[in-house]
Amino acid sequence: MGRSPCCSKDSSLNRGAWTAEEDLILSEYIKIHGDGGWGSLSQKAGLKRCGKSCRLRWLNYLRPGIKRGNISGDEEELIIRLHRLLGNRWSLIAGRLPGRTDNEVKNYWNTRLSKKQALPKPESAPSPGDHLPVKAKAVKITKVRNKFVGSGKLNHQSMKSIDAAQTVKIPELLIDEFIADTNSDIFENMVEWGCPSIQNNYQYCSQDFRSEGMSSGQSEQVSVLQNNMEQFESFTVADDQGIYSGTQQRHFVDDFRYSEMSRLLLSDSEEDWKENFTQF
DNA sequence: AAAGATGTCAACCGCGACGTA
DNA sequence: CTACGTCGCGGTTGACATCTT
């Protein structure tokens, strides 16, 4: 679709660093009239700035509650874990760090953490993966597209005899990569729902989704969740103990997912989360 | 002390999603 | 359905600060 005319082409507008006076004008205007409608806001406020520039300045600098600098160890750890799950989705990551902006998180990652992450880990030093369940940490999984899904004839034993010619091999992944790959939508939805805890998430779902019906948007999100769950069952998950299928496979993957997500969301206990989410 | 290298971070840019007429 | 405007996102830039030689 069409793009807005680029304000950078307008030479009558100020560019570059904001002055204290401009900051004051913008803050005072938003205090009275609220934010939004950035295109016209700059004109109404009497600023020679394009709407985009005003929006950015407000969101990243002037907005109340912004924390700047001094990212704590806890925050740093959370950024690393979220980045492992979500990749460069800075706004989602920043959404889990109160007072931090996507720009700050992005800058922090690019200038500090990306280099740190690239360094080889010393053998004796604790690694980010040390908090993972033993089972998941030790295991490499193979995704094998299962041509028999839905036949209803497979059990754990028959899965072991699947002929290589009847399957399509997908490159091996570490389990957390697999989880990140298949769960990002679920996680993203949870973040976007703005649920501060798993318990709230469940209450939200039970109250709005079940009792009072769903909006089309909510219905769509539920579909995404269901599709993701079905995805698990269209793959075979294997480790050196054997092949996991059906319920076993789901539990295997879910065990990891529950523990990781409950930590990430800094919420109720893992058991609460598991119980509540499976009911959903 | 000076010059070059490197780090930091605010701001810019272009794109895609979305809403609306 | 199309055209257009707005918004938000992520990649990139460039000015300034700090470090190193």
Side-chain angles (χ1 to χ4, degrees):
Chain A
M1 291 299 153
R3 277 176 42 213
S4 57
C6 182
C7 50
S8 67
K9 305 280 190 290
D10 188 341
S11 59
S12 70
L13 296 176
N14 290 344
R15 304 184 60 212
W18 279 63
T19 64
E21 192 190 353
E22 286 176 316
D23 282 348
L24 187 65
I25 292 171
L26 183 59
S27 297
E28 289 300 317
Y29 184 88
I30 290 176
K31 215 179 280 176
I32 295 166
H33 300 96
D35 62 3
W38 297 105
S40 56
L41 183 149
S42 56
Q43 278 187 331
K44 289 177 189 165
L47 283 163
K48 287 185 175 178
R49 291 274 179 177
C50 75
K52 274 181 156 188
S53 182
C54 293
R55 177 184 161 273
L56 205 66
R57 186 64 179 170
W58 174 252
L59 292 177
N60 287 343
Y61 197 89
L62 299 173
R63 184 165 49 108
I66 293 284
K67 280 193 257 175
R68 305 183 63 233
N70 299 323
I71 289 185
S72 69
D74 284 349
E75 287 177 309
E76 181 178 307
E77 196 189 334
L78 190 56
I79 291 171
I80 292 167
R81 288 212 308 265
L82 288 167
H83 187 269
R84 186 152 51 85
L85 263 180
L86 299 170
N88 295 357
R89 290 146 105 168
W90 305 116
S91 61
L92 277 174
I93 294 172
R96 300 304 307 171
L97 294 155
R100 300 295 182 187
T101 68
D102 53 356
N103 210 32
E104 182 172 27
V105 172
K106 178 174 58 182
N107 283 333
Y108 191 73
W109 177 269
N110 288 334
T111 57
R112 294 172 170 87
L113 299 181
S114 63
K115 289 163 202 162
K116 210 187 268 189
Q117 295 296 298
L119 291 174
K121 295 179 201 92
E123 285 297 316
S124 56
S127 69
D130 281 358
H131 62 277
L132 303 180
V134 173
K135 186 176 170 186
K137 198 171 60 171
V139 151
K140 261 199 167 188
I141 61 166
T142 306
K143 291 201 293 187
V144 182
R145 193 171 292 284
N146 178 7
K147 290 190 173 179
F148 301 101
V149 163
S151 70
K153 292 176 184 173
L154 278 175
N155 57 33
H156 192 200
Q157 286 304 312
S158 61
M159 291 285 282
K160 286 186 172 177
S161 62
I162 291 176
D163 188 280
Q166 296 173 311
T167 64
V168 180
K169 275 233 172 194
I170 293 171
E172 278 198 338
L173 295 169
L174 291 172
I175 190 161
D176 53 352
E177 291 168 341
F178 174 73
I179 300 297
D181 185 38
T182 55
N183 282 290
S184 59
D185 283 343
I186 294 179
F187 185 71
E188 186 169 338
N189 285 336
M190 287 166 58
V191 172
E192 283 181 351
W193 290 343
C195 303
S197 73
I198 301 305
Q199 188 65 37
N200 285 352
N201 182 40
Y202 175 63
Q203 285 168 355
Y204 182 89
C205 293
S206 60
Q207 186 183 328
D208 292 350
F209 287 11
R210 294 191 204 146
S211 313
E212 299 171 18
M214 297 183 221
S215 70
S216 61
Q218 287 166 339
S219 173
E220 202 175 295
Q221 292 191 348
V222 169
S223 294
V224 171
L225 292 171
Q226 286 170 343
N227 287 340
N228 272 277
M229 295 307 285
E230 282 164 17
Q231 258 194 47
F232 293 148
E233 291 168 353
S234 67
F235 290 105
T236 299
V237 175
D239 66 9
D240 53 4
Q241 303 297 307
I243 296 172
Y244 298 87
S245 65
T247 309
Q248 271 186 309
Q249 171 188 330
R250 197 151 149 175
H251 285 167
F252 176 88
V253 174
D254 284 356
D255 276 351
F256 180 90
R257 190 181 56 164
Y258 291 131
S259 60
E260 184 65 3
M261 285 198 174
S262 62
R263 249 187 309 279
L264 283 169
L265 293 168
L266 306 171
S267 66
D268 305 323
S269 76
E270 194 172 320
E271 282 310 305
D272 284 346
W273 163 221
K274 192 179 249 185
E275 190 185 332
N276 291 334
F277 192 77
T278 46
Q279 287 183 50
F280 172 73

